[in-house]
Amino acid sequence: MSALKIHNTLTKQKETFVPINKGEVNLYVCGMTVYDFCHIGHARVMVVFDVVSRYLKYLGYNVKYVRNITDIDDKIITRSIESGEDFKQLTKRFIDEMHQDEASLNVLSPDIEPLATDSMEAIITMIEQLIANDNAYVGPNNDVYYCVESFENYGQLSGRKLDDMNAGERVDVDSSKRNPFDFVLWKSAKPDEPSWSSPWGNGRPGWHIECSAMATCCLGNHFDIHGGGMDLQFPHHENEIAQSEAATGEKYVNTWMHNGFVRIDDEKMSKSLGNFFTVRDVLKKYRGEEIRFFVLSSHYRSPLNYSDDQLNESRSALERLYTALRDVTPVKNEVKSTYIEQFENAMNDDFNSAKAIAVLFECANELNKLKHTQPEQAAKTAADLLTMAEPLGLLSQDPDLFLKSMAGQDASISNEEIEAQINQRLEAKANKNWSLADQIRDSLKEQGVILEDKGPETTWRRG
């Protein structure tokens, strides 16, 4: 088996992964800002890093996975005011909705899920340290700002240099800042907004400092992997590095991972552009596993083009895999198969789930050939297929139940009605009424039900 290599955004190259502490991996991922339902872009972050965590565990690492929740920021306050709902009630409601979406996508809960509002003491302590180190200052408006010029390596993650950036075009000019690219660490309170007491007066933290405080509190000053969407690379993650390393004097993160955008009609999917689909809406038409398969069908760093055609292909692909597993009782293979080796080589190449899924189909094709000729080998091949699917979070359902489920949409015909018509067809065949038997089969097919005759028995699935 090849060694695990991960593309590190910091160095712009694939690197052999070596954890800080042997056998242990500390992983932090920027989570959701909870003021609305999760969209497919959020689903990609959830699924991608769920697979990263699962596969690291598959390799035998003891993984501590932290994914934060941002439960106070400008968008949350604005939505709270618009809806007339207390911000705590608002965020609690959307945290619950987020967890429901996760469960639908078979995303495992992170080990720790810190809230920004529960981390105020750590946030204030880090800001105090930055001020003491001359990396931050209190502005004339009583906001606290990070001084980007005080950090020599600012821009190391994104490749941007302060001297090369046109401040007038990229940021709003704020007379309270010493440099237009200085960013806020603590915002002084405005009337009727949520606030917390601090040495600089009542206020609330800036977004960037929240993640630095939560990550270091949960995982220490220096940890293995930090992940998130590509849109967070600058300025959020750049600012995280600057403030964390300036406060602690230690390297913040060894490996940075960023997943690509979800795109609609060649545009990035986002709430600001108004071209997004919520997970909840997509689940009305598609199973959670179909959405998950769709996400994993492309390499995590590549753009993911959303369309019904792509999701329909994911549905058909899963049906093929589950059909291969149908009527086979897996028996663990004591010898690592060629399929397992190919799967591990794919995943060890920067978590290449698309290539890994191709191996699953090769295994499923072999399983279909063996089912009726070599049942003992078929049982081992089925076990190999499930072994590979588990770290991807796929094929965890009973094959028969999956193939007979309603695929996320209202079925025109119930399972009971299907079974009744199959019995009528079997009776027609027994009476050699082939015309009626064909008529029933064709009628069911028009309603999305596929019959499969196996000797005297008939199985079915929704297609």
Side-chain angles (χ1 to χ4, degrees), residues 55-107:
Y55 188 67
L56 288 168
K57 291 175 183 176
Y58 171 91
L59 292 179
Y61 289 108
N62 180 19
V63 179
K64 182 187 280 188
Y65 177 20
V66 179
R67 193 188 65 216
N68 78 293
I69 294 175
T70 298
D71 61 341
I72 184 66
D73 85 332
D74 292 339
K75 293 177 181 176
I76 290 170
I77 292 171
T78 299
R79 182 62 58 88
S80 173
I81 293 171
E82 290 173 351
S83 64
E85 186 176 8
D86 179 78
F87 89 96
K88 291 183 179 179
Q89 293 177 334
L90 176 79
T91 55
K92 174 63 168 62
R93 179 161 60 87
F94 283 115
I95 289 170
D96 291 343
E97 298 289 357
M98 177 188 72
H99 288 157
Q100 185 175 331
D101 288 342
E102 282 179 344
S104 298
L105 297 169
N106 195 25
V107 169

Side-chain angles (χ1 to χ4, degrees), residues 124-334:
I124 290 170
T125 297
M126 183 170 275
I127 295 173
E128 288 179 318
Q129 187 63 54
L130 289 169
I131 292 174
N133 293 351
D134 292 328
N135 296 108
Y137 58 92
V138 181
N141 58 356
N142 290 323
D143 287 357
V144 181
Y145 295 97
Y146 184 89
C147 177
V148 293
E149 292 179 332
S150 71
F151 188 69
E152 182 179 358
N153 293 324
Y154 190 81
Q156 61 183 301
L157 182 68
S158 62
R160 304 187 186 200
K161 301 297 181 184
L162 285 172
D163 292 342
D164 298 334
M165 291 191 283
N166 186 327
E169 293 179 357
R170 298 294 183 91
V171 298
D172 295 329
V173 176
D174 185 340
S175 59
S176 298
K177 298 180 182 181
R178 297 175 183 172
N179 183 298
F181 285 95
D182 290 350
F183 55 89
V184 68
L185 301 172
W186 189 262
K187 299 181 179 183
S188 57
K190 295 180 181 179
D192 301 322
E193 283 191 352
S195 64
W196 289 260
S197 60
S198 80
W200 319 285
N202 289 345
R204 57 187 171 88
W207 176 35
H208 311 303
I209 195 69
E210 293 176 353
C211 277
S212 286
M214 287 185 280
T216 54
C217 277
C218 294
L219 298 177
N221 295 342
H222 178 206
F223 56 92
D224 298 291
I225 303 173
H226 193 313
M230 192 176 292
D231 54 328
L232 301 184
Q233 184 177 336
F234 185 89
H236 183 53
H237 289 162
E238 193 74 73
N239 292 349
E240 269 194 71
I241 293 172
Q243 63 201 6
S244 300
E245 296 189 357
T248 68
E250 299 180 43
K251 183 174 183 178
Y252 183 41
V253 175
N254 281 0
T255 303
W256 286 86
M257 296 179 64
H258 293 92
N259 65 269
F261 296 126
V262 178
R263 305 185 72 84
I264 302 284
D265 297 328
D266 294 324
E267 279 192 314
K268 173 195 167 189
M269 178 188 290
S270 72
K271 288 181 179 177
S272 60
L273 294 174
N275 65 344
F276 66 95
F277 294 89
T278 67
V279 174
R280 199 62 50 87
D281 285 341
V282 180
L283 284 169
K284 293 175 183 177
K285 291 181 64 179
Y286 299 96
R287 303 174 181 92
E289 190 169 0
E290 291 164 350
I291 300 172
R292 186 181 182 98
F293 188 98
F294 160 67
V295 169
L296 296 177
S297 62
S298 295
H299 190 279
Y300 76 89
R301 288 190 289 114
S302 301
L304 182 64
N305 297 305
Y306 177 91
S307 70
D308 281 352
D309 286 344
Q310 295 275 17
L311 281 160
N312 288 334
E313 288 179 11
S314 296
R315 171 176 294 170
S316 297
L318 278 170
E319 287 173 353
R320 293 199 300 274
L321 293 174
Y322 272 113
T323 298
L325 289 166
R326 199 178 205 175
D327 302 325
V328 181
T329 301
V331 175
K332 185 177 180 180
N333 193 346
E334 298 300 332

